[in-house]
Amino acid sequence: EVQLVESGGGLVQPGGSLRLSCAASGFTFSSYWMSWVRQAPGKGLEWVANIKQDGSEKYYVDSVKGRFTISRDNAKNSLYLQMNSLRAEDTAVYYCAKVTIPDSWSGFDYWGQGTLVTVSS
Amino acid sequence: EIVMTQSPATLSVSPGERATLSCRASQSVSSNLAWYQQKPGQAPRLLIYGASTRATGIPARFSGSGSGTEFTLTISSLQSEDFAVYYCQQYNNPFTFGPGTKVDIK
């Protein structure tokens, strides 16, 4: 059974940092692009970042470029999101998501339960 | 950045009726388009990818069509469990979601 379990969310002050983790199991993690997607309270979905199987390619939404860094450790079947210089508008539930097709971009067929990040003083 | 728009914002439908949701991309995304269903407090659920391929376990009443910039999700006969918010997403360059269509009970 595929499982994605996020952790690391919490309350942080504006300008602060937080590192999210996603533990993956039940599939060959090293074969898939992985992504982070967020959802602000009461709002829609926003793709944040994705990373290639070997970590050699990374893409970010413009609003987080230079502040967030996506990474992965295939030996630990884990995905990470380092978030620096956090702003109030980064407040959201952050989901880890797996693409459907190996070695390709496609829809996200599995999602974690989400971890809430709240940026507030 | 490719901008996705969805219409209508809210669709009121009676159980058993057909629902047609639209999604438009600001530039061509070929067939690199997915549809998701999301219920309150839950993670999104993939319904369709490749514009028209149903994901594993998705009932046949859900169908997707379109290519380029115009896409449609059709729910042939709405069941009670289908009332939710539906998002389209392009994954051509790189990824963006539409704002969603809420399907509620008429």
Side-chain angles (χ1 to χ4, degrees), chain B residues 32-101:
Chain B
N32 297 318
L33 193 284
W35 289 93
Y36 299 86
Q37 176 194 71
Q38 189 179 32
K39 297 178 181 179
Q42 296 184 14
R45 174 194 182 196
L46 178 66
L47 300 173
I48 301 285
Y49 64 96
S52 61
T53 301
R54 272 190 303 278
T56 302
I58 301 304
R61 64 180 182 273
F62 291 93
S63 63
S65 63
S67 66
T69 61
E70 302 281 343
F71 301 89
T72 300
L73 174 71
T74 301
I75 311 171
S76 60
S77 177
L78 267 157
Q79 307 298 302
S80 57
E81 61 268 28
D82 299 336
F83 293 98
V85 179
Y86 291 82
Y87 296 95
C88 63
Q89 174 213 17
Q90 68 82 17
Y91 49 88
N92 194 63
N93 181 25
F95 292 78
T96 44
F97 287 92
T101 290

Side-chain angles (χ1 to χ4, degrees), chain A residues 18-21 36 48-51 55 58-61 64-72 79-86 94:
Chain A
L18 216 50
R19 189 194 195 207
L20 305 184
S21 299
W36 289 98
V48 174
N50 67 352
I51 185 169
K58 305 175 184 181
Y59 299 89
Y60 300 91
V61 67
V64 309
K65 284 179 182 175
R67 300 189 300 123
F68 290 12
T69 302
I70 189 172
S71 62
R72 64 192 295 163
L79 178 72
Y80 306 101
L81 187 67
Q82 178 67 43
M83 303 185 295
N84 299 331
S85 303
L86 282 160
Y94 284 73

Side-chain angles (χ1 to χ4, degrees), chain A residues 15-28:
Chain A
S17 297
L18 216 50
R19 189 194 195 207
L20 305 184
S21 299
C22 171
S25 61
F27 66 103
T28 306

